[in-house]
Amino acid sequence: MPDPAPRLRHRGLRRALAQSGVLVALLAVFTVSSATAGTGALLMTAGNDRALSAAVAQLDGTEKSNGADITSLLVTADMNAEHPLTADVAMPVVQHALTDAAGPYAAQVSLWATTPMLYLEGKDVRTGYLLDADTLPDNATLQQGSWPTVGAAGKLPVAIPAATAQALGLQLGSQISLAEHRRDGRGAGRTYEVVVVGIFAPADTPAWRRDRLLGRGYQPDYLLMPTYGPFVVGTGTLAALAAPVERVAAVLDPDLKANAVDLPPLVQRTGAVGESVKDTLGPAAQSVWGTSRLGTELSRMRAELAVTDALVLAVFVLVLTLAAATAALVARVLADRRAGERALLRDRGASRPQLVRGAAVEALALGATAAAVAAPIAVAGYRMTAPQPVVTSGSALNPALVLGLLAGSLLPALVAVLTVLPEGVRRRRWAEPGELARSGVDLLLAALAVVAYVQLRTHVVTPGEVDPLLVAAPAVSVLALVALITRLLPLLTRLADLAARRGRGLVLPLAGWHLARGGGLRGVFLLVLAGAVGTFGVTFLGSWEASHQDQAAAEVGADLVVTDTQASGGTITGLTGGTVSPVADNAVVLGSRPSGVTMLAVKAAGAITSRPPTGTTWPQVMSELSPREVGSPLIVPRGPLKVTVSGGLAHAPREGLPLPEITVTPTLVLADELGATTTRTGSAVLLDHAPHTIGIPLPGEPGLPAGTWRVVAIDLHLVERSGVDLFEWGMESSGFTATVTIDGATSPSGAWGGAGDTGVAAVRPQEARVAGDTVEASFSCSVLGLSWHDAHLTLLSFPASAQVPVALSENLAHELGLTVGDRIGVAWDTAPLEAVVVRTVPYVPSHPREAAVLAELTSLQRAMLSVGRLDSLTARWWVGSPTQGAAEAVRAAGAGTVVDEADTATRYRDGPLRTPLRFAWLLAILAAVGFAVTGSAAHAAAQARRQGTTLARVRAIGASRREALVIHAVQHAAVTVLSVVMGTASGVLLAALLVPVLVVSPTGACAVPAPSIVWSAGPLSLVIATILVGGLVVGVPAALSVVRRSTVAALRAGEAP
Amino acid sequence: MTARPMVELRSVRRTYSTGHAAVTALHEVSFTAAPGEFVALAGRSGSGKTTLLNIVGGLDRPDAGEVVIDGTDLATLDEPELDAVRRDAVAFVFQGFGLVPELSAAENVGLPLRLRKVAPSVRDQRVSTLLELVGLGEHGAHLPDELSGGQMQRVAIARALAGSPRLLIADEPTGQLDTETGLAVMALIRGVVEAEGMTALVSTHDPVMMALADRVLRIEDGRLVDA
């Protein structure tokens, strides 16, 4: 008897070949699913390490650039200790402790050691101090001489700041002694004889925070004494001298070299280094204070990564859902093809468990094959995000990759098996349209989606953890929405049926009947799902990127921000172009809220480039906050100014009264063209009715043209210095006049306002006017009070008012229950102002998510001047629409630290911690298109198979080949178009609902400003068109095939009982 | 003057190729059927009955010979013209009824009228008349799987008559019916043929059915044995 095996094998091969198209489609679905899950697993394991390392590499900075990786340590000595702390002991201890803390990272340790205050020689009591700073050349510009070296015997070579040299009248070669004690104007105890070898200008770097005088060089009242310094000695001098130190300020600057693995231990060690140093130095160290942003930065990065992970995971859940739906559809096609075979097997005694086992084994084999094929694809996909190694160790694959591959292939395989289970084993055919609705599963999904949506609206992401709500919400929502929207199908089919009945011809009605009654809509669920995912994906991605751009803009406030600068507005304008605005920014006390409120004041609305509140613009907002009165400032000529002051008692004093001797020191409050103010003070003159002319230089001379500056206020510092007893004057006020003339100044004539001290002198302005170059004022004050305490009269080029119109951030207004028109006290430093709420804004630029107040700079300045505060409020400069290369120009000119909004936006959008999200969405969109087209092809093939006999019958009664073709094509086109339309609508609806709650900040907080939905017309059209055209095109072969096969043979096959 | 035959076959041959072998289904078949004649085609399964009917109905083409229907040689027609013959001159009744399962009885009957784009009101009237004619006036809204075999075949007959064909071809119309029902269907065909004056070519292997025919053609191994 011949061996039947070869025949059976041959038959099996023929069967496989006959079904090869469907089997390949199923394998492709499993493979795509597996590769996607594998890529996702890699992104969330090896990819996370890689992203952290890349992010850590971007931290790389130095103390000069105020890098985030800086760890600093400040040791202060106990000056009353029995054994004072000396440099030779303290500096090596600190050095070694920090080097050890750096661990595997190469690190630089910078030490700045400062001696206790020393007395400078001379009659006056003055103090100074020595500084041993190893990074001085990095943080200062040598103006004269050379940097000091370690001194040999004799005098110590020192370098001093130019301000110190000027204040002490020192120059290169000058010698001076600094002593521990002072006795009869001479040094006693340990005395350091120094010689000036260099004069430098401190750079505007954070390193000078380590200096006692912050690099200013001189402070008249440091610890109540005039203090000068630092006198910088050569590196190592203090240790060589075993000099007592009052403090050692150290900075650890590790080279992190894109290595995130050792970062957590580093954070731990740097956190403990202070304690270790304190233990080593013993009681000589009064305190050891360590600060490091590494831990904070690491936590932030992990929080950002967790948000990215959650969103990436959500994307892959969506892809797996799509894969499962596609597998179900393709599996049904396969099951239809095998219906006869299955019936035969059942008839010949095959049990249901046997059939299930057979299907499971086949699916498992396909799944395993798919996983094997998908492995290199997943690795390649992962590598597309960055060319980094994937495999963790040896030759073993990453376990997460293996798990992802298997999960990605076996999940759709399981769905496929469940789909093709013989009747009786499975309870329902989920792929049937309408059955999902009848089962109530869609309502359950909808309920879950509603719960998820409500949760998302008020949800707070736990930092550093993958949020399950973010992961599940998109998939649940899209499934629910698609399931609900397919409830429309019966309505549509009824319409199709009605139209078919009323139709006259055959083609369209028959197509309509097939759709309505013939299972023509079975592929709709997948196509709608894919269309929804594609549409939602494109919209989410576009909105996500736009929102992060918006968030970066809100975080920075302007295109460029220049801080830590002494440069004038003119200089900044020259370097950057664009709209430049001075900006004031300060913590304030608002009403009863003790802290946590920030007030921002901006002059030029054009510099604000973050997204304005809905329905308005920043210029509109700022115009509401601007002062109504223009004011009458004096426009002054090129400096130095010739200022003439006169005035005195308005009326002769009662006879017999002792005459006061009142001097006035004028201070001009000058505003430049950009609205930034500064002050210039002249010398004191006697208020004796005689004109006294003094010279006052202008800032920025001599380069600035006339008219650059305007005098917006003149402060008169009144001092009674007669030294006689003025008790007889009593406390009543006396009238005074004061006139200030600035040669060459011009002004629109008008009234000025005034403000005076309300202390014992009771200065009260009465009337003030400006005309031409002269301001005339009358005021009253108590002469006796003035003899007790000096006082100020501030003449203002505008009406005095301490009120500041403000816009409150909505969260602050809500918290304090403030509405438009309310007034509330606000303290800027100690200046008591009154804020008038003009409007609320969703956020205050550069302070998103904070309780903040926005004001117009001139309004704030006027209020401050009205309470006698002359300080310049400019903290930084904002630049809107700068010229290209402006940031580099500012940096090159050393004009300050620049924050570039574009850099921040790039970090937010494209930073290594967020790269996976974009990649995942692109993958998901591609998968959606691919699955849609695959599903469409499978559906078309299944329909062609089902309709072959019907079309043959219709042809037998006289329908032409063309009519038969059109019948099938119309059905397929109708299903495809309908699905794409419903899918697009679902995606649009889903985006409208979910984008506002799913687009969050990098750390998972609510996005500020609230994200707006970006309908990216180009990419959306491309995705929709690809699904549509792809879906239509793949139906063509099936249509041609079914018509070609609508022959007598098909008729006979259909006739078979 | 002799009336032109409705069906005239001259030396028709049809051969099927199956792999390397060739099977001749019809050998030099020739016969004629006059207008209004009810011709039964008898023979065993596989004798060539269906092939012959398909060729007569324009569903299949012979390899040799001529097939003339109502004076038109089908061999000279291109595919659209053949479609027109099937639509306007010939109607089929299949053994398996050949109904479109998604359509109701009335909708199935109306299909040929839709092909001719008959106005819906006229179509509905004609469908109603035909369903009454075949005794299914109350079953117009039923789907095929809601009808019995005999009812389905009646629907198929009604559909065949809808286009007022000149030639009715029925391939074992009683093959899936019990004897009583089959006889009723055959009687129905006989009745409508007489009523409509059309030619009928009906294949069957049931002698009782053959008795209803005007003439019986016997076919064996693709040859007419007593035409």
Side-chain angles (χ1 to χ4, degrees):
Chain A
M1 193 174 168
D3 180 11
R7 213 167 47 232
L8 286 173
R9 277 201 296 273
H10 185 59
R11 201 172 297 156
L13 186 62
R14 280 174 56 186
R15 174 190 180 230
L17 282 174
Q19 298 167 353
S20 61
V22 188
L23 287 172
V24 166
L26 208 52
L27 183 64
V29 172
F30 292 174
T31 304
V32 171
S33 171
S34 180
T36 308
T39 305
L42 282 176
L43 281 175
M44 296 183 64
T45 52
N48 276 1
D49 289 342
R50 190 182 65 187
L52 265 181
S53 297
V56 164
Q58 290 184 352
L59 285 182
D60 195 24
T62 63
E63 186 191 21
K64 196 173 175 181
S65 63
N66 201 19
D69 53 342
I70 297 302
T71 297
S72 61
L73 197 68
L74 177 62
V75 179
T76 54
D78 182 354
M79 301 311 294
N80 298 317
E82 189 179 345
H83 301 291
L85 199 60
T86 54
D88 58 320
V89 172
M91 292 174 78
V93 166
V94 172
Q95 169 93 36
H96 289 142
L98 286 174
T99 307
D100 289 348
Y105 295 101
Q108 286 189 334
V109 176
S110 160
L111 297 173
W112 284 26
T114 309
T115 62
M117 279 298 167
L118 305 166
Y119 291 99
L120 290 168
E121 67 180 59
K123 186 167 76 80
D124 297 330
V125 179
R126 303 171 301 176
T127 55
Y129 55 99
L130 301 183
L131 173 68
D132 188 333
D134 55 2
T135 52
L136 180 67
D138 294 335
N139 294 287
T141 306
L142 189 65
Q143 292 182 329
Q144 296 176 49
S146 59
W147 296 117
T149 53
V150 178
K155 300 188 184 298
L156 292 175
V158 295
I160 55 174
T164 308
Q166 190 179 2
L168 290 175
L170 299 176
Q171 51 195 331
L172 289 182
S174 296
Q175 299 181 14
I176 194 167
S177 68
L178 297 96
E180 285 182 352
H181 304 294
R182 176 183 166 79
R183 192 171 298 148
D184 300 330
R186 303 177 63 85
R190 185 189 281 244
T191 300
Y192 303 94
E193 301 289 342
V194 301
V195 56
V196 177
V197 298
I199 296 174
F200 63 86
D204 202 357
T205 64
W208 287 99
R209 291 174 194 158
R210 292 200 259 171
D211 177 43
R212 283 183 146 187
L213 299 184
L214 306 174
R216 288 193 289 258
Y218 163 65
Q219 187 171 332
D221 54 358
Y222 184 78
L223 299 177
L224 304 176
M225 266 186 275
T227 302
Y228 304 83
F231 293 81
V232 184
V233 297
T235 305
T237 299
L238 293 189
L241 295 173
V245 288
E246 187 266 341
R247 61 198 237 156
V248 177
V251 163
L252 172 68
D253 185 5
D255 180 2
L256 299 176
K257 278 196 175 144
N259 170 16
V261 177
D262 295 316
L263 203 51
L266 174 65
V267 170
Q268 275 190 334
R269 286 194 300 270
T270 52
V273 73
E275 201 61 35
S276 138
V277 169
K278 179 94 172 72
D279 289 345
T280 308
L281 293 179
Q286 187 177 53
S287 69
V288 180
W289 187 41
T291 56
S292 174
R293 285 166 57 193
L294 274 176
T296 311
E297 286 298 312
L298 188 61
S299 298
R300 176 188 63 78
M301 286 190 282
R302 282 185 166 156
E304 291 187 15
L305 206 51
V307 171
T308 304
D309 280 350
L311 292 172
V312 166
L313 210 50
V315 176
F316 287 118
V317 169
L318 276 176
V319 174
L320 288 183
T321 307
L322 272 171
T326 314
L329 185 65
V330 179
R332 278 190 62 81
V333 175
L334 189 62
D336 282 351
R337 288 214 177 169
R338 292 180 176 174
E341 174 189 322
R342 197 167 55 242
L344 182 65
L345 288 172
R346 289 293 304 277
D347 290 345
R348 298 189 66 178
S351 67
R352 282 186 180 125
Q354 278 178 311
L355 293 177
V356 172
R357 266 202 304 277
V361 167
E362 189 177 22
L364 201 62
L366 276 175
T369 309
V373 175
I377 300 173
V379 172
Y382 167 73
R383 280 187 171 148
M384 281 171 68
T385 59
Q388 295 282 330
V390 177
V391 176
T392 50
S393 60
S395 60
L397 279 175
N398 183 329
L401 171 63
V402 175
L403 202 63
L405 289 170
L406 289 177
S409 63
L410 294 183
L411 176 73
L414 177 67
V415 172
V417 171
L418 290 174
T419 306
V420 301
L421 283 185
E423 293 291 349
V425 174
R426 70 163 184 272
R427 291 182 180 170
R428 286 180 184 278
R429 284 172 178 265
W430 297 116
E432 296 281 355
E435 289 202 6
L436 199 63
R438 285 195 291 278
S439 70
V441 169
D442 61 340
L443 293 180
L444 180 67
L445 281 169
L448 284 174
V450 168
V451 170
Y453 179 72
V454 171
Q455 287 280 314
L456 275 176
R457 283 179 67 88
T458 54
H459 189 55
V460 178
V461 173
T462 308
E465 292 179 12
V466 174
D467 194 306
L469 191 60
L470 287 183
V471 175
V476 170
S477 302
V478 75
L479 276 175
L481 195 61
V482 171
L484 284 178
I485 214 161
T486 50
R487 276 193 170 230
L488 292 173
L489 287 177
L491 177 66
L492 294 173
T493 55
R494 273 199 291 276
L495 290 174
D497 194 74
L498 197 64
R501 283 186 202 180
R502 291 181 178 169
R504 172 180 286 210
L506 174 74
V507 174
L508 292 179
L510 201 57
W513 274 322
H514 275 302
L515 284 178
R517 310 173 189 172
L521 295 171
R522 279 185 184 146
V524 166
F525 185 83
L526 169 66
L527 291 178
V528 175
L529 189 65
V533 170
T535 307
F536 176 70
V538 170
T539 309
F540 177 87
L541 205 51
S543 306
W544 186 82
E545 291 187 353
S547 173
H548 281 73
Q549 175 85 42
D550 285 348
Q551 290 182 57
E555 193 72 41
V556 177
D559 288 331
L560 281 187
V561 176
V562 183
T563 57
D564 299 324
T565 181
Q566 302 298 320
S568 67
T571 305
I572 301 294
T573 304
L575 289 169
T576 63
T579 306
V580 178
S581 172
V583 171
D585 195 341
N586 204 24
V588 294
V589 175
L590 188 72
S592 59
R593 204 178 196 275
S595 62
V597 179
T598 304
M599 181 180 270
L600 176 86
V602 182
K603 177 62 188 169
I608 307 175
T609 49
S610 58
R611 187 146 64 83
T614 308
T616 187
T617 61
W618 287 120
Q620 273 180 307
V621 172
M622 296 309 292
S623 73
E624 293 173 29
L625 303 176
S626 300
R628 296 283 166 264
E629 297 81 11
V630 178
S632 313
L634 280 160
I635 301 166
V636 299
R638 189 191 295 260
L641 301 178
K642 209 168 137 188
V643 179
T644 303
V645 181
S646 63
L649 281 163
H651 307 287
R654 184 161 46 90
E655 207 165 315
L657 283 177
L659 286 177
E661 188 179 308
I662 297 172
T663 63
V664 58
T665 306
T667 296
L668 304 182
V669 180
L670 299 152
D672 66 11
E673 289 169 317
L674 300 175
T677 59
T678 188
T679 56
R680 284 296 180 268
T681 302
S683 50
V685 297
L686 203 56
L687 211 55
D688 57 358
H689 293 292
H692 300 277
T693 301
I694 53 176
I696 298 180
L698 285 176
E701 287 183 321
L704 299 178
T708 301
W709 295 100
R710 290 163 294 128
V711 175
V712 295
I714 301 171
D715 182 76
L716 302 177
H717 183 200
L718 303 167
V719 179
E720 199 293 312
R721 61 177 197 184
S722 65
V724 299
D725 186 357
L726 299 174
F727 190 75
E728 291 175 49
W729 281 78
M731 286 308 293
E732 66 267 24
S733 291
S734 304
F736 284 84
T737 61
T739 302
V740 181
T741 302
I742 301 173
D743 276 7
T746 58
S747 73
S749 298
W752 273 40
D757 276 345
T758 54
V760 289
V763 177
R764 288 193 182 84
Q766 289 173 338
E767 192 180 359
R769 292 195 61 76
V770 65
D773 59 357
T774 301
V775 177
E776 291 180 342
S778 59
F779 63 98
S780 66
C781 80
S782 162
V783 172
L784 178 59
L786 199 58
S787 71
W788 290 339
H789 203 288
D790 59 343
H792 288 265
L793 168 70
T794 309
L795 303 175
L796 308 167
S797 64
F798 46 85
S801 170
Q803 286 187 348
V804 190
V806 296
L808 296 186
S809 62
E810 282 170 359
N811 57 348
L812 182 61
H814 178 73
E815 179 191 328
L816 298 180
L818 294 173
T819 55
V820 173
D822 286 347
R823 292 155 192 256
I824 187 168
V826 58
W828 178 286
D829 293 336
T830 54
L833 309 177
E834 185 179 57
V836 180
V837 181
V838 171
R839 65 173 300 147
T840 59
V841 287
Y843 71 97
V844 170
S846 79
H847 296 285
R849 276 185 287 278
E850 291 178 30
V853 179
L854 177 66
E856 199 271 349
L857 186 62
T858 300
S859 294
L860 178 64
Q861 282 169 341
R862 287 186 178 186
M864 291 288 282
L865 290 170
S866 296
V867 296
R869 296 292 295 268
L870 312 183
D871 333 9
S872 170
L873 302 177
T874 305
R876 57 186 64 110
W877 296 92
W878 280 12
V879 185
S881 308
T883 53
Q884 200 169 7
E888 289 71 26
V890 174
R891 290 187 187 112
T897 306
V898 181
V899 178
D900 192 339
E901 186 270 336
D903 292 343
T904 308
T906 303
R907 184 170 64 81
Y908 271 34
R909 273 196 331 262
D910 308 324
L913 301 177
R914 272 161 292 279
T915 306
L917 183 58
R918 179 184 294 167
F919 179 75
W921 266 117
L922 290 177
L923 209 60
I925 292 165
L926 282 177
V929 172
F931 285 140
V933 173
T934 306
S936 193
H939 175 70
Q943 284 305 107
R945 191 174 178 80
R946 289 171 68 88
Q947 290 177 9
T949 305
T950 295
L951 289 183
R953 288 167 180 163
V954 174
R955 287 217 64 202
I957 62 171
S960 66
R961 185 184 292 266
R962 184 176 157 276
E963 284 170 318
L965 181 68
V966 173
I967 289 169
H968 185 81
V970 164
Q971 284 179 69
H972 184 71
V975 168
T976 308
V977 172
L978 180 71
S979 305
V980 171
V981 168
M982 289 171 79
T984 305
S986 303
V988 165
L989 189 57
L990 202 65
L993 289 171
L994 287 190
V995 162
V997 288
L998 273 185
V999 174
V1000 290
S1001 79
T1003 52
C1006 286
V1008 177
S1012 53
I1013 301 170
V1014 176
W1015 306 108
S1016 313
L1020 260 181
S1021 307
L1022 184 65
V1023 168
I1024 294 167
T1026 308
I1027 293 177
L1028 186 63
V1029 174
L1032 290 173
V1033 167
V1034 294
V1036 172
L1040 292 175
S1041 162
V1042 71
V1043 172
R1044 196 171 54 247
R1045 287 189 283 107
S1046 61
T1047 58
V1048 171
L1051 204 55
R1052 283 187 159 180
E1055 292 301 299
Chain B
M1 183 179 167
T2 309
R4 188 175 64 187
M6 185 65 203
V7 179
E8 185 175 6
L9 269 69
R10 290 193 283 268
S11 304
V12 168
R13 192 174 71 242
R14 180 73 172 100
T15 303
Y16 295 111
S17 298
T18 53
H20 298 293
V23 176
T24 303
L26 296 176
H27 290 274
E28 306 298 329
V29 172
S30 300
F31 76 91
T32 59
E37 189 179 12
F38 189 135
V39 179
L41 188 60
R44 292 174 304 172
S45 290
S47 60
K49 296 192 299 291
T50 301
T51 302
L52 180 59
L53 293 182
N54 286 341
I55 285 175
V56 171
L59 286 174
D60 201 359
R61 288 180 185 270
D63 297 317
E66 290 180 7
V67 180
V68 181
I69 304 296
D70 200 13
T72 304
D73 182 359
L74 300 190
T76 63
L77 303 182
D78 58 14
E79 193 172 309
E81 289 168 332
L82 267 182
D83 293 336
V85 167
R86 287 200 302 275
R87 187 172 60 229
D88 300 328
V90 184
F92 281 91
V93 174
F94 301 104
Q95 180 182 4
F97 321 129
L99 301 180
V100 179
E102 295 89 19
L103 306 190
S104 69
E107 288 160 350
N108 266 292
V109 174
L111 283 179
L113 302 174
R114 285 180 175 275
L115 271 173
R116 296 177 183 187
K117 295 191 168 50
V118 174
S121 58
V122 178
R123 183 182 70 215
D124 292 346
Q125 181 61 43
R126 174 87 173 138
V127 167
S128 178
T129 304
L130 287 170
L131 285 173
E132 290 291 342
L133 178 69
V134 298
L136 291 174
E138 303 297 318
H139 295 81
H142 289 184
L143 290 173
D145 61 5
E146 296 168 340
L147 300 172
S148 68
Q151 287 172 321
M152 281 195 275
Q153 198 58 293
R154 284 163 189 260
V155 173
I157 291 167
R159 185 179 69 184
L161 299 176
S164 302
R166 296 191 291 282
L167 172 62
L168 176 68
I169 297 174
D171 188 5
E172 302 217 26
T174 60
Q176 293 190 45
L177 306 178
D178 58 69
T179 308
E180 189 182 345
T181 310
L183 202 56
V185 165
M186 209 60 174
L188 176 64
I189 294 175
R190 170 83 254 184
V192 295
V193 164
E194 281 181 4
E196 302 276 334
M198 65 179 67
T199 305
L201 191 56
V202 181
S203 72
T204 181
H205 49 255
D206 186 339
V208 179
M209 309 299 170
M210 288 177 216
L212 292 173
D214 297 327
R215 182 157 59 104
V216 176
L217 299 177
R218 295 192 182 279
I219 186 167
E220 287 178 10
D221 297 330
R223 299 172 202 277
L224 288 180
V225 292
D226 50 358

